[in-house]
Amino acid sequence: VGIGGWNFAEWRGGVFYPAGLPAAKELEFASRALSSIEINATFYATQTPATCARWRDETPDGFQFAVKANRFATQRKTLSDGADSVVHFLESGVTQLGPKLGPIVWQLPPYRRFDADDVEYFFALLPDALDGLPLRHVLEPRHASFACADYVRLARAYSVGTVFIDSPDYPNIADVTGEVVYARLMRSQGDEPTGYSAAELARWAARIRTWARGESPADLPLIDTPAPAAQPREVFVYFIAAAKARNPAAAQALVARLNAS
């Protein structure tokens, strides 16, 4: 459970980071307050192997990074146009994160409609492993046309996870399509100290436990038939955007609720 990125001015001065904490120490602090962070910098610019190794070394054992793939791989006229960028991103040094490399998130633009042939071509590009590390891929579709059984079945055939986006602006696809479950929670409220209310956090904690058991939450509607009950799954949950200043508190409150159960 975590947040998107770790450098945000409104988290400083005692809101999340202690007053006076140097910016260079923010990842070290955040990685000990939370169990995961989604790296956003990789979406905007290619990072070096040395940078990824430094992030690895600044975080504790057991910590996991999710990594947003570079936008040049997915923000094209067609996904097939980004094939070279997929390879370039994967070989840019992200495997330097080692055992702390969690899922790789391929985010699509809101205008990208579902095209089965194009999506299948893209899925076929994604390797299962690189530099001796297993890779886990998740797709974040942002166009309503992806909310269909054809997409769900295609993603399952390639074991690519689908981001559940808790947002009124994007499709909410709760069908489990890969080996991990990935949720981005985007409804934090500025007038709620923990972003989400206690009742909402309780509902999310229950859903996470259900997903982690290998099942599907009964209160999230599915597009296709449920995935068969599986072995326990890893679940990655991030509080993103909305009332961003509240997101660290939301993540910490959810962690506390999960640890108490």
Side-chain angles (χ1 to χ4, degrees):
V1 177
I3 51 181
W6 59 87
N7 296 127
F8 183 55
E10 291 187 39
W11 294 343
R12 296 169 182 150
V15 175
F16 174 46
Y17 295 122
L21 183 75
K25 294 289 186 181
E26 289 176 349
L27 175 58
E28 180 182 334
F29 179 91
S31 64
R32 286 155 178 82
L34 303 166
S35 54
S36 187
I37 287 175
E38 182 187 89
I39 302 174
N40 293 323
T42 47
F43 180 73
Y44 296 102
T46 300
Q47 306 298 309
T48 66
T51 296
C52 293
R54 175 167 53 81
W55 292 339
R56 177 197 66 213
D57 294 341
E58 290 178 0
T59 53
D61 291 345
F63 187 80
Q64 291 271 285
F65 287 103
V67 182
K68 282 185 71 174
N70 191 275
R71 55 185 171 171
F72 290 115
T74 55
Q75 314 283 311
R76 302 294 190 98
K77 184 176 181 180
T78 66
L79 287 169
S80 58
D81 290 340
D84 290 343
S85 294
V86 169
V87 174
H88 178 71
F89 167 74
L90 291 173
E91 295 181 350
S92 66
V94 293
T95 56
Q96 288 296 313
L97 293 171
K100 297 175 184 178
L101 175 61
I104 296 173
V105 185
W106 305 88
Q107 186 184 82
L108 303 184
Y111 60 78
R112 170 74 64 241
R113 300 181 63 87
F114 176 59
D115 178 313
D117 291 339
D118 195 36
V119 171
E120 183 165 18
Y121 178 92
F122 178 75
F123 285 168
L125 292 173
L126 305 179
D128 295 329
L130 184 65
D131 297 335
L133 284 177
L135 300 183
R136 295 166 293 174
H137 303 281
V138 295
L139 187 74
E140 183 178 0
R142 291 189 155 199
H143 192 279
S145 60
F146 279 81
C148 65
D150 285 346
Y151 165 71
V152 170
R153 293 167 187 171
L154 181 59
R156 283 178 178 161
Y158 284 86
S159 196
V160 173
T162 301
V163 177
F164 179 86
I165 314 172
D166 183 36
S167 166
D169 300 321
Y170 306 116
N172 307 147
I173 302 173
D175 300 70
V176 176
T177 59
E179 63 178 276
V180 301
V181 173
Y182 199 105
R184 303 179 92 225
L185 308 188
M186 303 175 70
R187 297 180 192 262
S188 294
Q189 300 295 314
D191 59 357
E192 177 61 60
T194 55
Y196 280 58
S197 70
E200 290 169 328
L201 290 171
R203 281 193 291 272
W204 275 109
R207 291 164 180 160
I208 291 166
R209 294 188 201 102
T210 300
W211 274 326
R213 290 195 302 268
E215 303 168 5
S216 295
D219 64 339
L220 293 179
L222 302 178
I223 295 165
D224 200 15
T225 55
Q231 296 297 316
R233 296 187 182 95
E234 283 190 272
V235 182
F236 294 81
V237 180
Y238 301 95
F239 291 87
I240 304 287
K244 190 171 178 177
R246 299 297 191 190
N247 287 339
Q252 288 178 297
L254 182 57
V255 168
R257 187 174 290 274
L258 289 166
N259 287 342
S261 61

